[in-house]
Amino acid sequence: MKRFQIFLAGAFIATGSLFAQSDNAEWQAGLAKMKELIQVNPAQASDEAGQLLKGKNKKNPELVVAVARAFLDAGKLSEAEEYLALAKKADNKSAAVSVLEGDIAIVQKDAGKACQMYEQAIYFDSKNEQAYLKLADIYKGANPQQAIEKLEQLKSVVPSSVLAELAEVYYMNNRFDKASEAYARFIHSSETTEDDLVKYAFALFLNHDFEKSLEVANLGLKRNARHAAFNRLAMYNYTDMKRYDDAQKAADAFFNAADKADYSYLDYMYYGHLLNALKKYDEAVMQYQKAIELDTSKTELWREISNAYEQKNDYTDAIVAYQKYYEALPADEQTADLQFQIGKLYYGKGTQSDTLTVSLDERKAALVSADSVFAVIAQAAPDSYLGNFWRARANSALDPETTQGLAKPYYEEVAAFLIDKNDPRYNSALIECYSYLGYYYLVANKLPESKEYWNKILAIDPANATAKRALDGIK
C-alpha cells in the first residue's frame, strides 16, 4: 500500500510537471504571437494579451511580467505600467516584478526609483543576478565604488557570474590593475568576447605590463587578424618594448589592412615615435602633424617634431617647431630649461658644418640669437653656470680665430663660479674654460698667462694631451 501511495505521489508530481510544461508552452506561443502584433496591430495585441491573462493566468506573475515586458520592450510604456499593476496584484513580493518596475523607472529616467526597486528585488531574492547587474550599471558612471560593492555582493552569492561586469567597472574608472586582475580570471573561458580581450589588453597596456598586453593582443589577432584594436595594441606594445621591426609590421597591418580602424591622435603619435626610432625623420614629422590635426590641444607634439628635425640637422625647422611648442605653454610653464633648448637649437644651426643649406650670414645670425637666449637664462638663473657657459660657446663660435676674445669674459666668469664649487663633477667644464683662455693668450702672444691656464688643466688632468702639446710648443 505504501509503495502504491509513493507511486501515486510520483505520478501526480510527474503529471503536475507535464501540465505545467504544457501550460507554459501554450502561453509562450501566445506571447510570441502577441509580440509580433504589438507594432503592426496594437489593438489586436492587447486582445491577445487579454486572452493570455484569462482566469488563473491572471495570477501567474511570470506570465504577467512577460506580457508587461513585451510592451515595455516595444516602447509601449502605458501598457507596460498597466500590466505591472496586474503583476503586483498577482505577487507583490516577486523579485521579477520589482526588476520590471525598476526597468520601467529607467525608461522614465527615474534612477532613484529604479535603484529602490532593484534593491527590493534583491531583498526578495538575494541571488537575483539581474537586480545586482542593473544596480551596478546605474552606479558605474556616477558612483563606481557602489557599483563594485554590488558586483562583489553578487560574486559572494553567485561566484562565477560577475567577473566581466566587475572588470568593466574597474576599466571604466581607470583602475587598470584591478581590471586586469578581474579580466585574467575569465579571459580564457569560451564566453570571452573580442571586446573583453581588447579591454584586458588595453588595461594591461595602461598598467605598463607591455609583455602581457602584447600576449593578449596576439590572442585576439588569432581570432581576428584584421581587428583594428588588436593591431593597434600590437603596434603600441612593440614600440614601447623597442621591438621596432615588429612594431613596423604591426603598424603596416593597422594602417593598411585592419577593418573599421578609427584613427586617433594617439595612433599617429605612436607611429611617429616608431618612425623616429627607425630614423625615418621626415615620415615621423608627417605622423606627428597628423596627430596635431586630429587634436590641436596636443601641442607637446611640436617638441617631438622639433626633435625629429634636429636629428636630421634641420635646425631651421627644428627652431620653428620648438617655438610653437614653447609659445603654446602657459606663461608659468615657460621655464628657463625650455628656453635653454631654444638656445641650443640656435647654437646647433650656427655651428653646423653643412654650408649648402645654411649660409654664413644665417649661421652668424643664429649664433647671435643663441647668445641672446643664453643671456636671458644667465640672468634668470644666476645660481647656474650654464647660461654664461653657453654664451661663451656661442661667442667662441662667432670668433673662430679667437682674435677678438668674444668668449673670454664668459669663460672667466664660469671658471670663477666653478672654482668656488670645488666639485669634481664640474672638471670637464672647467677644463673647457681653461683651454679657451690658454689658447686666447697663446694667440695674443701672452705666453706666461697661456702657460698658467695649461698648467691648471694638468693639475686637474695630468694626462691631458692638448695641454701637454701647448706647453711643449711654448717652450
Side-chain angles (χ1 to χ4, degrees), residues 10-42:
F12 278 122
I13 291 169
T15 305
S17 175
L18 287 171
F19 281 138
Q21 290 174 8
S22 175
D23 287 349
N24 188 285
E26 186 177 329
W27 67 253
Q28 287 287 0
L31 185 67
K33 183 179 179 183
M34 184 200 76
K35 287 179 180 178
E36 290 177 6
L37 292 168
I38 288 176
Q39 296 293 357
V40 295
N41 194 333

Side-chain angles (χ1 to χ4, degrees), residues 45-107:
S46 294
D47 289 343
E48 193 69 34
Q51 291 297 319
L52 273 174
L53 298 177
K54 277 184 175 179
K56 64 179 181 179
N57 280 351
K58 192 177 290 188
K59 295 183 180 181
N60 181 342
E62 182 185 359
L63 174 55
V64 183
V65 166
V67 170
R69 190 165 294 284
F71 281 100
L72 181 64
D73 291 344
K76 308 291 184 181
L77 186 59
S78 59
E79 289 89 340
E81 290 181 295
E82 177 187 335
Y83 289 108
L84 168 64
L86 193 61
K88 290 170 80 171
K89 284 183 181 179
D91 187 352
N92 64 0
K93 294 184 179 179
S94 164
V97 173
S98 296
V99 169
L100 172 64
E101 190 167 4
D103 291 349
I104 289 174
I106 288 290
V107 174

Side-chain angles (χ1 to χ4, degrees), residues 21-265:
Q21 290 174 8
S22 175
D23 287 349
N24 188 285
E26 186 177 329
W27 67 253
Q28 287 287 0
L31 185 67
K33 183 179 179 183
M34 184 200 76
K35 287 179 180 178
E36 290 177 6
L37 292 168
I38 288 176
Q39 296 293 357
V40 295
N41 194 333
Q44 191 176 343
S46 294
D47 289 343
E48 193 69 34
Q51 291 297 319
L52 273 174
L53 298 177
K54 277 184 175 179
K56 64 179 181 179
N57 280 351
K58 192 177 290 188
K59 295 183 180 181
N60 181 342
E62 182 185 359
L63 174 55
V64 183
V65 166
V67 170
R69 190 165 294 284
F71 281 100
L72 181 64
D73 291 344
K76 308 291 184 181
L77 186 59
S78 59
E79 289 89 340
E81 290 181 295
E82 177 187 335
Y83 289 108
L84 168 64
L86 193 61
K88 290 170 80 171
K89 284 183 181 179
D91 187 352
N92 64 0
K93 294 184 179 179
S94 164
V97 173
S98 296
V99 169
L100 172 64
E101 190 167 4
D103 291 349
I104 289 174
I106 288 290
V107 174
Q108 295 170 328
K109 303 189 186 309
D110 189 345
K113 183 178 180 181
C115 289
Q116 181 185 348
M117 290 300 104
Y118 296 143
E119 291 284 9
Q120 182 172 284
I122 292 169
Y123 177 77
F124 292 144
D125 178 6
S126 64
K127 295 185 178 181
N128 190 289
E129 291 186 37
Q130 277 193 324
Y132 286 105
L133 295 173
K134 288 172 185 289
L135 271 171
D137 193 53
I138 293 173
Y139 289 138
K140 68 185 179 184
N143 193 332
Q145 188 53 44
Q146 266 191 288
I148 290 164
E149 287 171 7
K150 285 299 166 192
L151 293 172
E152 291 287 0
Q153 287 173 18
L154 177 56
K155 192 172 71 170
S156 69
V157 292
V158 188
S160 63
S161 63
V162 296
L163 289 172
E165 289 80 8
L166 196 56
E168 185 174 3
V169 173
Y170 282 129
Y171 180 87
M172 286 179 60
N173 290 278
N174 299 333
R175 296 177 64 178
F176 301 116
D177 53 342
K178 289 289 188 181
S180 298
E181 289 174 14
Y183 280 121
R185 292 170 61 186
F186 75 92
I187 208 67
H188 293 291
S189 74
S190 58
E191 297 178 3
T192 302
T193 65
E194 287 184 357
D195 189 52
D196 291 330
L197 285 170
V198 168
K199 288 177 179 175
Y200 182 31
F202 207 69
L204 290 164
F205 169 76
L206 293 171
N207 214 35
H208 293 169
D209 190 347
F210 304 126
E211 288 275 4
K212 186 66 178 176
S213 177
L214 179 63
E215 180 185 325
V216 176
N218 283 334
L219 189 65
L221 287 170
K222 287 181 181 177
R223 286 192 181 191
N224 183 354
R226 297 178 63 88
H227 195 291
F230 295 134
N231 282 293
R232 168 187 284 121
L233 282 162
M235 178 181 73
Y236 287 7
N237 284 300
Y238 281 129
T239 300
D240 279 326
M241 293 163 66
K242 299 183 179 179
R243 292 172 57 178
Y244 298 127
D245 289 340
D246 290 324
Q248 180 67 74
K249 292 175 185 175
D252 289 342
F254 174 55
F255 286 106
N256 301 316
D259 293 329
K260 299 177 184 177
D262 186 11
Y263 303 129
S264 71
Y265 91 91

